[in-house]
Each structure stands twice: as C-alpha cells, then as structure tokens.
Amino acid sequence: MSFDSVIELKGLKRYYNVGGETVKALDGVDLEIGRGEYLSLVGPSGSGKTTLFNMIGGLDRPTEGIVEIDGVDISKLDAYELAWLRCRRIGYIFQNFNLITVLTALENVALPTVFAGTPHDEGLKKAKKLLESVGLGERLNHKPSQLSAGQQQRVAMARALANEPTIILADEPTGNLDLNTGTEIIDLLHGLNKTRGLTLVAATHDLKMIKASDRVIWMRDGRVEKIERG
Amino acid sequence: MASGERRVHLGYVEAFRLGYSHLLRRLDRSTLNVASIALGLSFYTSLLLTDTFYRTYSTLGGASLSVEATYYWLVAIALTVSVVGITNAMLISVQERVKEIGTMKCLGALDRHITLLFLIEALLQGIIGGIIGYAVGVVAALLTTGFTTGFDIILRVPVTQNLTLFVSSLVLAIVLGTAATIYPAYRASRLDPVEALRYEL
Ligand SMILES: Nc1ncnc2c1ncn2[C@@H]1O[C@H](COP(=O)(O)OP(=O)(O)OP(=O)(O)O)[C@@H](O)[C@H]1O
Ligand SMILES: [Mg+2]
C-alpha cells in the first residue's frame, strides 16, 4: 500500500526580520503527513511548532517552499479559496481556546457553519449534537466565561469539528489544562482520529499525547531533528 | 480538493444576528456610542424643530422669530465630536476583539465579512441613536418654544414636515454612525490572523 499523503511540506522556510536580524522560525522543513495519521510536533520553546501550525493551516505564507494540501499548493489559492480551506477542510484547536466571548457555547460551535453557508437551524442542530458528543449537552447556553478550562477546550473541539474537516490542527491543546482534563481532551482527540479517520497534527509538550500518536516529529531551531514512530 | 462550490458565506441575516449579539453583550460600549449619536442628533433636531415651530407660529399670525445662525455652527461641531467619539470607541472595540477577529478568520471569515459585522453594529447603533436623538430633540424644542408659541405648536406643524424631519434625522444618524466606523472596520478586516492570534491584551 502506498503512502497516501494529505499534507506535504517541501523545503519550507519562514524567516522573520526583527530589527535587521533574520530569525529563522522554519529553516527547511520537508514532511509528508498521511491521511488519518496522528502526528505530534515536539520541540523546545521557539523551535518553530506554532509557525509550522500556521503554515499548514493556511494562516501564514512561507518565505520559501511549498505547502500542499491534497496535492494543491496553497500559495496558489486566492482569498476565497483560502477561506474555504480554513472553513471546510481544517479544524483549529488552540492552547487558549479562542472562543468568542460574547457568544454561547452553542453559538460558538455553530459559527463555522455560518461561514459554510449552512442554514441557521441546521447549524444549531449540528452544534448541539457536537456539544453532546463532547459531554456538554447541559451547557449549550453557557458563555465561555461560565465554563471551566477543560469545558472551554471541549467547546473549541466541537467547533473545530463543525464543518466536518478532514484535518485537525492543534497547538498545545492541553497546555492550559491540568493533568486530568488534559487527558480527557487527548482521549477525545485520539478517538476522533481513530473513529473518523481524521488527520490530526498536534504541537505538544504532553507526554501522554506523544505516546498516543503514530509519529513524533522532533523540531529544533526550525528544522526537523528526528522522526520517531509513536 | 474536490472542485465545485468553494465559497464561504456570510448572509445578511446571519451578519445581523452576530452584530446584534455583539451590541447586546457589550452593552456598556454600545450604550455610549448610541448616547453619543443621540446627543449630537438631539441638538440637531431640536434646532431644526425650534426653527420649524417658530416659522409655523409666524405663518399662523404670531410674532416673527428665528434661530440664530451661530447655533448651526454649534450643531456642526457637536456632530463632529460625536463622530470622532464613535470612531475612537470603535477603534478600541477592534483592539479588544483582535483575537476574536483572528479566530473568525480561522473559521472561514473573509476580510469583507469582518467589515460587514462592524458596519452592521454601526448601523444598529445609528438607528437607535437616531430615534432617541429625535425624541430628545422634540422635547428640547418644545421646551424652548412652548412658552411663547404654546405647546400645541407641534400639532400645528404640517405632518409631512414632521415626518421629513424625522426621516432626515434618522438618515443623518445612520450616515454619521456608519462613517465613523468605516476606518475601524477597515482596520479590523485587514488584521493578519497570525498576528491576531499572537496578540495579548
Ligand atoms: N511574528 C514574529 N516576529 C518575529 N519572530 C517571530 C514571530 N513569530 C515567531 N517568531 C520567532 O520564530 C521562532 C519560532 O517560534 P514559534 O512560535 O513557532 O515556536 P514554538 O515552537 O511554537 O514555541 P513554544 O513552544 O514556545 O510555543 C521563535 O524564535 C520566535 O521568536
Ligand atoms: Mg507555540
């Protein structure tokens, strides 16, 4: 069976210019990520994990090199297609959840379906189901500020799934959570990867996450240092 | 990637729903914006109404009275101040929402969707501010003129004239509120998602 890759990075570089000095956040990354794979990005602070997350997520443009998703070079996409990619193909999970504070849990989860053009009622129904599936069926109308950190991250997970993406990107999803709630989130993510065949790329420092993954990418100074089977 | 319809959307109904949520749930700031519009507008309408009342009074045989021209300068200044105030408040509002705007862009929002959300907030603020401003203006004009012309003067002004004044106040409120928000909305729409997500308050 040949390797079926969803994401392909070729000679990826991202340089920042800070006061005349060049900071090499990514300095030549080549990587293929398979469909349904669970990949952990590991490395010391400043090694380029978040920068890589932004590149794969179509949030930032590389200084050099190519990001291909399903064989399409995303630098060739126009603003509409890029927004579509972010909306429909990729679900994002952040360390600090990034929920919209003025919206309820239900409205937060339904928000991506708005941009996808889903009818209002259908979007809400979908959001309700998703929140129930992460164990928050009783919290639909709570604001983020009325939820615990672990609950907020579960809302964020439900939101990431709202448009049935095939790729989930997570940047230190358990970084702001205690051990137990972190484990819950990891189990949920792992379950999604296994049951729905979602491709999961997670930057993390969390040993539990690393152990659960198929492959571990060790980053250092903007490069891939080594790759291990999980 | 499958070809076909690769569009993201933000319908007006949904945009109104979101704009309304923001207004309602950031009530302190939106109340200040509404008050700012209402204040400028009430000054404007009270002056025009006072003038209208005086004119109606004199056509009905009363003494010939009018509003001093210098007052119109004051109105222009009051309206300018309210526009500047709203621009400032909306810029702060953009600053407060940097992360949210970045997040929305991750969820598929286009630049113009962000602009639309801010303009809808401005529109709603303008409408509410315009209505309140007009109502306050009516009361103020009656208090200025009523003792000379009689308080029933408002009933003697032709209905069409009252209506024209109301509509023009409302339109002015909406135009000013929206104009004040164009620059903040533009700034918000241009935010880079990566920068926005890195942003800490
Ligand atoms: N906007 C920017 N301007 C300048 N330098 C930047 C910018 N963003 C990132 N960098 C630099 O790029 C390098 C990689 O940063 P990145 O955030 O990707 O690291 P990270 O592996 O996610 O670290 P952490 O574990 O702390 O989150 C760092 O040296 C950082 O200072
Ligand atoms: Mg990081």
Side-chain angles (χ1 to χ4, degrees):
Chain A
M1 201 183 88
S2 70
F3 190 77
D4 179 15
S5 73
V6 229
I7 301 165
E8 205 171 325
L9 313 177
K10 297 174 186 166
L12 201 63
K13 296 182 181 173
R14 178 65 166 102
Y15 295 171
Y16 288 102
N17 204 327
V18 185
E21 301 241 346
T22 306
V23 177
K24 297 178 175 181
L26 289 178
D27 195 18
V29 173
D30 294 279
L31 190 62
E32 267 186 73
I33 302 172
R35 201 173 301 283
E37 196 175 14
Y38 178 176
L39 203 85
S40 286
L41 289 175
V42 191
S45 182
S47 58
K49 302 181 296 292
T50 298
T51 311
L52 197 61
F53 171 98
N54 294 335
M55 290 294 157
I56 298 173
L59 303 175
D60 197 4
R61 292 194 183 271
T63 309
E64 226 183 284
I66 292 172
V67 178
E68 278 184 6
I69 294 183
D70 278 334
V72 176
D73 176 356
I74 65 171
S75 70
K76 301 254 161 37
L77 301 179
D78 63 25
Y80 290 89
E81 293 169 320
L82 203 55
W84 185 88
L85 180 85
R86 294 171 185 165
C87 182
R88 307 298 296 270
R89 297 302 312 278
I90 301 173
Y92 305 83
I93 301 174
F94 305 93
Q95 178 172 357
N96 39 22
F97 327 130
N98 287 342
L99 298 172
I100 310 290
T101 50
V102 298
L103 299 180
T104 63
L106 190 68
E107 291 166 334
N108 263 290
V109 177
L111 190 55
T113 69
V114 170
F115 296 116
T118 313
H120 185 68
D121 293 341
E122 206 179 302
L124 288 181
K125 223 193 273 167
K126 221 171 172 182
K128 185 162 174 271
K129 257 203 199 128
L130 282 167
L131 280 169
E132 281 164 357
S133 77
V134 295
L136 291 175
E138 312 287 302
R139 305 284 178 151
L140 302 181
N141 295 315
H142 288 230
K143 299 272 172 54
S145 61
Q146 298 163 328
L147 297 170
S148 72
Q151 289 168 335
Q152 288 185 53
Q153 192 60 305
R154 280 188 273 162
V155 175
M157 279 189 58
R159 181 181 67 184
L161 295 170
N163 287 327
E164 288 132 26
T166 51
I167 299 165
I168 297 282
L169 293 179
D171 193 0
E172 304 197 31
T174 60
N176 280 0
L177 305 177
D178 64 47
L179 207 64
N180 284 332
T181 34
T183 308
E184 280 170 33
I185 296 291
I186 295 166
D187 290 345
L188 277 170
L189 282 172
H190 195 80
L192 286 170
N193 166 253
K194 287 289 157 280
T195 58
R196 299 200 193 190
L198 287 174
T199 306
L200 175 58
V201 180
T204 188
H205 292 292
D206 194 317
L207 267 176
K208 279 216 185 82
M209 280 203 86
I210 296 169
K211 272 194 203 130
S213 55
D214 299 325
R215 272 198 301 165
V216 187
I217 310 295
W218 292 84
M219 307 264 312
R220 182 175 294 277
D221 300 329
R223 293 165 184 269
V224 176
E225 192 181 36
K226 59 177 173 177
I227 302 180
E228 281 178 350
R229 295 264 142 210
Chain B
M1 244 173 281
S3 60
E5 179 76 341
R6 274 209 230 140
R7 284 272 169 261
V8 282
H9 306 253
L10 182 61
Y12 287 107
V13 177
E14 285 298 337
F16 263 97
R17 235 192 282 270
L18 282 170
Y20 175 73
S21 299
H22 271 112
L23 273 195
L24 212 64
R25 290 165 195 175
R26 288 203 173 82
L27 204 54
D28 42 357
R29 191 177 306 290
S30 29
T31 308
L32 279 177
N33 281 342
V34 166
S36 173
I37 295 184
L39 218 67
L41 251 290
S42 63
F43 196 22
Y44 167 82
T45 44
S46 78
L47 216 58
L48 287 189
L49 274 172
T50 303
D51 193 53
T52 309
F53 290 167
Y54 280 153
R55 276 170 206 277
T56 309
Y57 183 60
S58 57
T59 52
L60 293 176
S64 177
L65 297 162
S66 69
V67 174
E68 278 180 56
T70 46
Y71 278 114
Y72 289 104
W73 278 108
L74 290 178
V75 167
I77 291 166
L79 291 177
T80 311
V81 168
S82 90
V83 166
V84 172
I86 293 166
T87 303
N88 186 38
M90 289 307 261
L91 280 175
I92 295 170
S93 181
V94 170
Q95 216 57 35
E96 278 178 356
R97 280 191 241 171
V98 165
K99 268 219 150 105
E100 283 188 21
I101 294 162
T103 306
M104 286 211 184
K105 286 192 166 182
C106 288
L107 303 181
L110 289 167
D111 290 6
R112 60 186 179 81
H113 294 154
I114 306 291
T115 313
L116 182 65
L117 287 176
F118 275 89
L119 290 182
I120 281 174
E121 274 183 50
L123 182 73
L124 293 173
Q125 285 174 356
I127 292 172
I128 303 167
I131 292 171
I132 296 174
Y134 184 78
V136 174
V138 169
V139 174
L142 276 178
L143 287 178
T144 337
T145 59
F147 297 105
T148 357
T149 62
F151 288 96
D152 59 344
I153 187 74
I154 189 168
L155 303 174
R156 301 205 214 168
V157 174
V159 176
T160 49
Q161 218 169 333
N162 259 331
L163 205 66
T164 314
L165 255 172
F166 174 68
V167 172
S168 71
S169 306
L170 199 57
V171 169
L172 184 65
I174 291 170
V175 168
L176 291 180
T178 311
T181 309
I182 287 176
Y183 177 63
Y186 171 78
R187 278 266 295 263
S189 77
R190 294 297 305 272
L191 282 175
D192 172 55
V194 173
E195 291 298 316
L197 292 172
R198 276 168 61 93
Y199 184 84
E200 293 298 336
L201 272 180

